[in-house]
C-alpha cells in the first residue's frame, strides 16, 4: 500500500486589490482599477448579475496597476458585482 499525502496551500493575495468602479452608477462606460501582485502574470475579472450569473469574463495579463474599461453597450441596465 502506498502512502499518499495531499498538501493544501493557502495563498494570501494581500497586494491584490480592486477599486470601486468610476463613475458609479454609469451611463456609457465605467473604469475598474486594479492591482495584481508581481508574482502573478494573469488573472480574470468576472462580472456577475445579482443571481451570480456570469455575464462577462475579462483576462488580465501582466502584473502591477491596471484598469479595465467596461462599456455599457455590453451589459443591460442593472446592478453588477465583480
Amino acid at each position: 500500500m502506498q502512502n499518499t499525502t495531499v498538501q493544501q496551500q493557502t495563498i494570501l493575495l494581500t497586494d491584490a486589490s480592486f477599486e470601486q468602479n468610476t463613475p458609479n452608477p454609469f451611463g456609457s462606460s465605467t473604469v475598474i482599477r486594479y492591482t495584481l501582485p508581481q508574482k502573478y502574470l494573469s488573472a480574470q475579472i468576472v462580472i456577475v448579475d445579482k443571481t451570480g450569473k456570469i455575464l462577462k469574463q475579462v483576462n488580465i495579463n501582466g502584473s502591477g496597476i491596471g484598469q479595465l474599461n467596461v462599456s455599457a453597450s455590453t451589459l443591460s441596465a442593472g446592478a453588477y458585482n465583480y
Side-chain angles (χ1 to χ4, degrees):
M1 181 180 274
Q2 199 175 32
N3 264 345
T4 304
T5 304
V6 176
Q7 295 180 347
Q8 291 184 330
Q9 181 179 5
T10 301
I11 300 172
L12 298 175
L13 299 178
T14 57
D15 296 330
S17 65
F18 289 106
E19 294 181 17
Q20 177 66 49
N21 62 299
T22 55
N24 183 9
F26 64 98
S28 60
S29 66
T30 190
V31 175
I32 301 170
R33 289 181 175 79
Y34 60 86
T35 302
L36 187 61
Q38 293 225 326
K39 61 183 172 181
Y40 300 100
L41 299 178
S42 65
Q44 280 190 333
I45 294 178
V46 180
I47 299 173
V48 299
D49 66 12
K50 65 181 179 180
T51 67
K53 179 182 174 186
I54 295 174
L55 304 173
K56 187 175 185 85
Q57 291 180 315
V58 180
N59 292 321
I60 305 297
N61 295 310
S63 59
I65 297 172
Q67 67 181 34
L68 172 64
N69 296 306
V70 179
S71 172
S73 66
T74 63
L75 300 168
S76 59
Y80 303 102
N81 293 309
Y82 56 89

